[in-house]
Amino acid sequence: MGKIVILTGAGISAESGLGTFRAEDGLWAQHRVEDVATPEGFARDPKLVVDFYNARRAQSAAAEPNAGHEALARLETYHPDEVIVVTQNVDDLHERAGTRNLIHMHGALSGALCHACDHRWPAPMVMAPGDPCPSCRRGTARPDIVWFGEMPYQMDEIFDHLASCEIFASVGTSGNVYPAAGFVAEARRMGARTIEFNLERSLVGDLFEDVRLGPATGTLPAWVDEVLSRTA
Ligand code: BJW
């Protein structure tokens, strides 16, 4: 049947109670993106940014994986070929559902990064501005999150997977943010079949051959049953 690559966004964690970004009451309605999700915002007001991610870390720890995360973990366990989840999410709900083959392309709330020496270590639940780096000892810790203008992680690996997959699926992402929004075009160009799961068509929805509309906790388990029944 071949390799399956699944791109996930904030919509897959919405039914676990974590807010999305671009909904009317989403995170970008409550915070200016320039203030909390850019390196320039961090340089201007590190406390504002660190507090924003401390609050998100606490919300993520209090949330539980839902039937959508669990369906993708089940797919990885029982599909005879490779299944890769590439998530834009910084929460840890995929790993807590049991997904192992996972790329956090926009970083993770669980990580801290030194912006002076690039050392990485597990973030404490509550970070403070000016926390010391355990390697270079300077007060240059930041959340290990990919902000606007920064290069997302593991891009070469992701493009290799897009070039060699049979199916590319996208779940709960609006198609506003690149390079992730460009993955469907790349996967199609390389010959993959493409399928989108969302409440409504995303900005790049026209590029998908198949679109399943509805909450991911319903549409994903049904699709995983369908895929696994074809391989049984
Ligand atoms: C459900 C659901 C349910 C709800 N079931 N579905 C001009 C043109 C093109 C590009 C650029 C440009 N100017 C600048 C750029 C680049 C820029 C960019 O894309 N800007 C755009 C705004 C135009 N991108 C970057 O800077 C990136 N870096 C980069 O490009 O480096 C250079 C490079 C060059 C060459 C190759 C590769 C790279 C970095 C982007 C970093 C994004 N960071 C953020 C914040 C940090 C993480 C965090 O704090 O959590 O990442 S922004 C934010 O958006 C977050 C998300 O991961 C990301 C995507 O959001 P997502 O997941 O799509 O959420 P929403 O809210 O938008 O959508 C939710 C969806 O779920 C909706 O569709 C709902 O319908 C759906 N839904 N409930 C199913 N129950």
Side-chain angles (χ1 to χ4, degrees), residues 29 58-59 66 86 89 106 110 125 143 177 184 186 215 226:
Q59 286 154 8
N66 65 46
V86 178
N89 299 342
H106 288 167
S110 58
M125 272 308 282
V177 175
V184 57
E186 179 64 12
E226 211 178 291

Side-chain angles (χ1 to χ4, degrees), residues 181-218:
F183 290 172
V184 57
E186 179 64 12
R188 264 191 91 150
R189 195 175 71 81
M190 300 305 286
R193 285 182 286 140
T194 54
I195 179 164
E196 171 163 78
F197 299 88
N198 205 313
L199 294 180
E200 57 190 19
R201 272 181 185 265
S202 71
L203 290 183
V204 290
D206 288 350
L207 296 178
F208 290 89
E209 292 159 311
D210 191 355
V211 177
R212 310 274 172 103
L213 299 183
T217 52

